[in-house]
Amino acid sequence: MKLEGLHHITMITGDAQKNVAFYADTLGLRLVKKTVNFDQPEAYHLYFGDETGAPGSILTWFEFAGAQRGRAGLGMVHTLQLGVPSAAAIDFWEQRLRDAGSASERTANGTLAFEDYDGLGLELVVSDDGNPPLQAVHPEVPAEHAIVGLEGARAYSLYANVEESLLTDVLGFDYEGGGEYKLQGEQRHFHWAYDQAEEVGEAGAGTVHHIAWASQDDDHLKWQARVREAGGFVTDVRDRDYFNAIYFREPRGILFEIATLSPGFAADEDPQTLGEALRLPKQHEHLRAHLEQTLQPVVNPRTARREAGATR
Ligand code: ZN
């Protein structure tokens, strides 16, 4: 039994429209689902990814409008690494971010580090070995430069260099030394790492809420049993409409989720217009009229382009 790499990573934003403009326009991802938080339906939950919303490409945000910026600290993810196909693509993105008014910086490793509107740490890295590319289509982003999915994530820990046995013995990550791990599935892999830190952080806009690993549907309950047997508290199975989920904290404090690969984001929407209409979990459908009035409308760049094309 193997986890199939990353499923998605979920963050907090203070401004849904700025979030959509940055990820679905500047970075050229596709907004694949516009819905609300299951537990707090008055808040948006936005999902971005490749053209089909494939696990491994998915970044999601809970919007808490006007939320104060947080700060990554102990037991929190601090940087997300997005893959691009080549070093030439890094040059393309350096220019595109500059044109969009976003500062970026080359690291010693040749990656491109920058932040989103909320201060979330992002890094573009050349995709290494063999993850099938998961790309979205954007008219201003040539296919040879488009983001190809998530490659890795880095978190803070007091004991960065101590092998974490929950990861290796229970979840099947390979430890590569120096706080670095690789999760290798059948198709996809993901790089996970801890960096040494001492400071406690603060949840808020621009911080990571949780990270979800992908499970074959048939293995999901076995993963739940395995985490429980290892002595970890794990939730019951939650039906998230597009996947089933279980949650637990890894020993350094980071909230982990294991999510099933099915049914996926086309479960309740035409793949052609994914992410364009407000979708509500069935238990919150009765709130639709109220939510459509109270949620700040979010303009999806795809809808805007299609409408502009139609009236031209
Ligand atoms: Zn999640």
Side-chain angles (χ1 to χ4, degrees), residues 21-126:
F22 189 73
Y23 288 93
D25 222 357
T26 304
L27 292 191
L29 303 179
R30 184 172 191 179
L31 176 61
V32 294
K33 194 63 66 183
K34 185 165 69 173
T35 183
V36 295
N37 190 327
F38 273 84
D39 306 315
Q40 289 173 270
E42 60 289 348
Y44 271 123
H45 192 183
L46 304 170
Y47 292 74
F48 302 83
D50 74 345
E51 218 38 38
T52 63
S57 72
I58 302 293
L59 295 173
T60 99
W61 276 266
F62 298 133
E63 186 209 32
F64 296 107
Q68 293 286 316
R69 264 194 189 198
R71 184 170 33 83
L74 282 180
M76 294 168 78
V77 175
H78 64 81
T79 300
L80 312 186
Q81 295 170 316
L82 303 169
V84 292
S86 65
I90 301 245
D91 296 338
F92 168 85
W93 286 106
E94 189 171 29
Q95 183 64 45
R96 183 168 170 81
L97 286 165
R98 190 180 303 134
D99 293 346
S102 289
S104 68
E105 194 179 315
R106 293 280 181 151
T107 69
N109 306 322
T111 69
L112 191 68
F114 56 104
E115 291 183 350
D116 75 359
Y117 163 77
D118 291 305
L120 175 69
L122 296 162
E123 202 176 345
L124 292 181
V125 305
V126 176

Side-chain angles (χ1 to χ4, degrees), residues 8-10 45 47 60 62 210-212 240 243 245 247 257 259:
H8 65 268
I9 310 182
T10 294
H45 192 183
Y47 292 74
T60 99
F62 298 133
H210 65 267
I211 184 161
R240 296 316 199 189
F243 46 85
Y247 302 85
E257 172 184 347

Side-chain angles (χ1 to χ4, degrees), residues 71-76 156-158 195-202:
R71 184 170 33 83
L74 282 180
M76 294 168 78
Y156 285 130
S157 167
L158 262 183
D195 293 304
Q196 190 73 28
E198 262 107 57
E199 266 188 67
V200 174
E202 200 176 338

